[in-house]
Amino acid sequence: MGNWLLPLPVILPLATALLTMVSWRRPRVQGLIAGASLGALLAVSTALLGLVWTEGTQRTSFGGWPAPFGIEFAVDPLGAAMVSITALMGATAALFSLGDADPGTPSPTLWPLTFALLAGVGGAFVTADLFNLYVWFELMLVASLGLLALGGEPRHLDAALKYFVLNALGTLLLLLAVGYLYGLTGHLGFVPLRGALTDLDGATLGPFVALLVLAILIKAGAFPLCAWLPASYPTLPASLVALFAGLLTKVGIYVLLRLLGGVLPALPAFLTQGLAWVAAATMLVGVLGAAFHWDLRRILAFHIISQIGYMLLGIALLTKAGQVATVFYVIHHIVVKANLFLIAGLVFRMTGTYDLRRAGGLYVARPALALLFAIPALSLVGLPPLSGFWAKLLVLREALAQQQLALAVVALAVGLLTLYSMLKIWLEAFWKPHPDPDWSPPSHVGLTPAYLATGLLAAVTLAFGVMPEPMLQLAERAVETLREAGP
Amino acid sequence: MTPRSALIRLAVRVLYPAMLAASLWILWRGHHQPGGGFIGGMVAVAATSLLAVAEGSHTALSRLPFGPARLAACGGLASLTSGLPALALGRPYLEHLWLEIPLGPTKLPLSTVMLFDLGVYAVVWGALGGLCAHAMGLDEKAAVAAEAVPAPGESGPERVEP
């Protein structure tokens, strides 16, 4: 019974992308198809998570060609959790876009491209084949490029170009590394690859693994190859940027976790130590960028980078506890980050600007929005009892347990700076009176769906924070499966 | 490219259907021999491009069934669907099934592979054919604009693509 569920996280969005393309002249039909598909995706991924939880890792190979020859899909608890959170994000972003929260005329290619993106993300989470993984990265790249260029204005094309250059480089490096590994071992599937790689010594493998890690680090937005992220994300409409910010860089983190945790043999020490310092630099650069900027969305984009640093640190520690911390961090971060971008969209709708210096007065005018902002913002900073507190605690505890005192200090300092940049948003957009005394927020706009979407994500954050135990169990189970059997 | 040679137009009137027929034959032949959806689709793309050279990109695009984007999307749907029967029977996705219908002296072999290949054919024809014809259209517009500017006294090119 599990067999037929496995390919659905990819087939469903792919079919939806095509169906919405066929019906591109009828926006209502498109919307109905998209809504139905997202509902089905949510149901399928939840069922998959339940199945994997009770019966263990599920696998299927396409066309019935078995493992070392065919392409395999395998879903373990980690993959199932990621697929579920992807479906949740897709549904929330769509819910947000139902009302008037995203001004502008919708493009007929919006849904096809969005679902192509979701198919790429879903494919990356369920595949158990290195080359197939590359294909999903390529699909994500093409779809996100299309979405970035959708606005059609020079700033959109500028963003798309900046996004394209580094990401295409990352994809090419990934292909190169995949080719080298295939040449070394003759395998592409994760399980056979893991078996074949254990026979090779670190010196032979080192350069290729470094290339692979570099390629994935570009995708994850790690320092020093993170410039594409804050340059491109802020041009997207709110619901899309939430989807991008929530999912795309986290696919890179997921792949790194999967490959380093369950496929590649132990890395040479200088590489892991290097990765740890890349993580620290990523944290610092991201948070300094956030502290420097005044554009709300640019601040949030830089926060992604600094948070990616924490997740990388968890991976670089290479211990089980470090990886559990990363899994917890990724899931917490996807929800929180997407929500912050959605709220940024609402702030824009209220004040008409993303520039914090020209915004203000929202605490008095819209107290509910201020509360909705406070939950994910404080969670991102890492205040108890919100989900970010547990995520940071897990990373810090493991860094200290591994005697990485310097890294732990950096992580703590970055936490303080994150608080500073969040306070900046709070003071400027919410607390201080609006610079224009005659300003009042627009009334009579249909923002109920948008409030519902952000409220739902805030509730998820609160639930993770108050009851971290189930989430932690899931993360531990995911890492155990990852480490013992490969994917 | 605007004033078109009558010879090319006459030749393409014969070549276009011939090339499409050949592309279908390659698609069919690919079932057991070299050929198949991708190569057949490429021949169809060549036919569309040739038509765009002879009759203009607008004509070439309008001859694509359902229009380029829809043709490609329908093709993708057909390919995706071809894997579903196996899934319904509890087999892995995209495992293909064969069926032979007896027709008097001969028999008609049907398979989900054929549907998959047909889908690939449509994706290639719709996406690449549309791309090629559109790209040639860009050139036409430029040519029309270039001709219109230096000769204001003349009546302009005879054929102006909408």
Side-chain angles (χ1 to χ4, degrees):
Chain A
M1 118 93 182
N3 233 346
W4 65 269
L5 275 176
L6 272 184
L8 286 185
V10 181
I11 300 176
L12 260 179
L14 218 50
T16 315
L18 294 166
L19 279 173
T20 46
M21 201 152 111
V22 172
S23 60
W24 67 287
R25 279 182 206 282
R26 299 195 195 86
R28 282 192 65 89
V29 178
Q30 271 192 328
L32 283 178
I33 295 174
S37 158
L38 283 170
L41 192 62
L42 212 50
V44 162
S45 54
T46 319
L48 205 53
L49 185 60
L51 183 76
V52 169
W53 188 257
T54 50
E55 292 179 24
T57 308
Q58 303 286 316
R59 1 181 116 254
T60 183
S61 52
F62 284 101
W65 301 96
F69 309 107
I71 293 173
E72 264 200 319
F73 270 14
V75 181
D76 59 0
L78 178 60
M82 297 306 285
V83 167
S84 304
I85 203 91
T86 305
L88 180 67
M89 286 306 112
T92 340
L95 180 63
F96 184 87
S97 67
L98 273 184
D100 301 334
D102 254 338
T105 46
S107 157
T109 41
L110 175 69
W111 283 121
L113 286 171
T114 309
F115 276 95
L117 185 72
L118 285 177
V121 173
F125 288 151
V126 294
T127 189
D129 183 282
L130 208 51
F131 185 77
N132 197 238
L133 181 72
Y134 156 78
V135 173
W136 298 122
F137 266 119
E138 200 71 85
L139 180 62
M140 269 186 273
L141 175 63
V142 171
S144 49
L145 209 56
L147 287 169
L148 278 165
L150 211 55
E153 289 169 32
R155 65 193 177 97
H156 296 124
L157 301 180
D158 180 59
L161 182 70
K162 283 173 179 157
Y163 182 86
F164 173 73
V165 171
L166 267 179
N167 272 284
L169 178 72
T171 316
L172 281 176
L173 290 181
L174 182 65
L175 183 60
L176 202 62
V178 170
Y180 276 133
L181 284 178
Y182 181 69
L184 276 178
T185 62
H187 288 298
L188 287 169
F190 287 166
V191 178
L193 203 57
R194 179 186 166 109
L197 284 176
T198 42
D199 303 337
L200 293 167
D201 63 304
T204 327
L205 213 51
F208 306 122
V209 171
L211 190 66
L212 189 65
V213 170
L214 176 69
I216 299 167
L217 284 182
I218 295 180
K219 294 281 168 189
F223 179 80
L225 298 163
C226 52
W228 57 271
L229 197 154
S232 57
Y233 279 18
T235 59
L236 286 164
S239 56
L240 277 182
V241 74
L243 211 54
F244 273 53
L247 297 175
L248 290 192
T249 45
K250 262 56 76 185
V251 179
I253 293 291
Y254 162 86
V255 168
L256 201 60
L257 182 65
R258 163 132 296 169
L259 293 182
L260 291 187
V263 178
L264 299 171
L267 293 181
F270 75 94
L271 266 182
T272 49
Q273 198 59 32
L275 190 62
W277 283 107
V278 165
T282 309
M283 279 186 235
L284 261 179
V285 167
V287 86
L288 289 178
F292 171 76
H293 279 283
W294 287 94
D295 181 301
L296 180 49
R297 290 200 290 182
R298 218 167 268 271
I299 295 176
L300 293 178
F302 271 105
H303 274 155
I304 302 178
I305 297 175
S306 84
Q307 303 288 305
I308 286 290
Y310 284 95
M311 298 173 217
L312 280 179
L313 182 57
I315 297 177
L317 294 172
L318 284 181
T319 56
K320 188 186 157 205
Q323 290 166 339
V324 169
T326 299
V327 173
F328 193 97
Y329 213 116
V330 167
I331 292 176
H332 136 78
H333 177 82
I334 291 176
V335 176
V336 163
K337 193 82 245 178
N339 201 8
L340 280 171
F341 270 104
L342 291 181
I343 290 164
L346 281 174
V347 168
F348 176 77
R349 200 77 181 88
M350 297 292 171
T351 61
T353 176
Y354 279 115
D355 188 339
L356 288 176
R357 285 164 293 196
R358 289 190 283 139
L362 280 173
Y363 180 70
V364 178
R366 289 285 182 272
L369 185 63
L371 180 68
L372 273 178
F373 170 76
I375 292 172
L378 294 178
S379 178
L380 191 88
V381 171
L383 286 194
L386 294 158
S387 57
F389 168 70
W390 304 110
K392 280 193 177 159
L393 182 71
L394 288 171
V395 174
L396 273 176
R397 199 177 61 180
E398 189 51 25
L400 288 175
Q402 296 297 312
Q403 319 279 330
Q404 301 279 11
L405 196 59
L407 292 170
V409 170
V410 172
L412 272 176
V414 168
L416 271 180
L417 284 169
T418 314
L419 179 63
Y420 162 72
S421 56
M422 278 301 174
L423 268 179
K424 187 163 78 176
I425 300 179
W426 175 259
L427 290 176
E428 294 288 329
F430 290 90
W431 196 249
K432 82 163 190 242
H434 198 278
D436 176 7
D438 299 330
W439 168 82
S440 66
S443 48
H444 308 299
V445 282
L447 291 181
T448 320
Y451 273 114
L452 269 180
T454 50
L456 177 70
L457 291 184
V460 172
T461 308
L462 272 179
F464 284 167
V466 180
M467 296 179 296
E469 200 52 40
M471 206 47 238
L472 202 58
Q473 263 181 4
L474 177 63
E476 273 173 0
R477 181 85 172 267
V479 171
E480 269 164 26
T481 336
L482 183 73
R483 288 172 76 94
E484 78 198 17
Chain B
M1 233 188 271
T2 13
R4 289 186 178 81
S5 145
L7 267 179
I8 290 185
R9 293 181 63 184
L10 201 66
V12 168
R13 206 166 292 169
V14 183
L15 270 177
Y16 182 71
M19 286 173 82
L20 282 189
S23 76
L24 283 175
W25 178 72
I26 292 172
L27 165 72
W28 177 255
R29 179 190 139 91
H31 212 45
H32 292 298
Q33 285 164 295
F38 186 81
I39 304 164
M42 288 310 284
V43 175
V45 171
T48 296
S49 310
L50 202 59
L51 192 66
V53 169
E55 302 285 345
S57 70
H58 183 73
T59 317
L61 286 174
S62 66
R63 294 269 194 97
L64 289 173
F66 312 117
R70 275 194 197 183
L71 178 62
C74 290
L77 280 174
S79 291
L80 277 184
T81 319
S82 74
L84 292 181
L87 212 55
L89 293 177
R91 309 286 313 158
Y93 184 66
L94 280 179
E95 185 172 306
H96 287 292
L97 307 167
W98 276 265
L99 183 72
E100 287 193 338
I101 299 173
L103 278 180
T106 177
K107 55 194 174 191
L108 180 66
L110 284 181
S111 70
T112 51
V113 180
M114 202 65 218
L115 185 62
F116 184 86
D117 249 3
L118 198 67
V120 173
Y121 176 91
V123 169
V124 172
W125 192 19
L128 291 182
L131 187 76
C132 287
H134 263 300
M136 287 175 189
L138 296 179
D139 189 36
E140 273 165 30
K141 274 174 205 147
V144 168
E147 273 177 31
V149 174
E154 290 176 16
S155 59
E158 279 176 29
R159 291 167 51 87
V160 179
E161 298 295 334

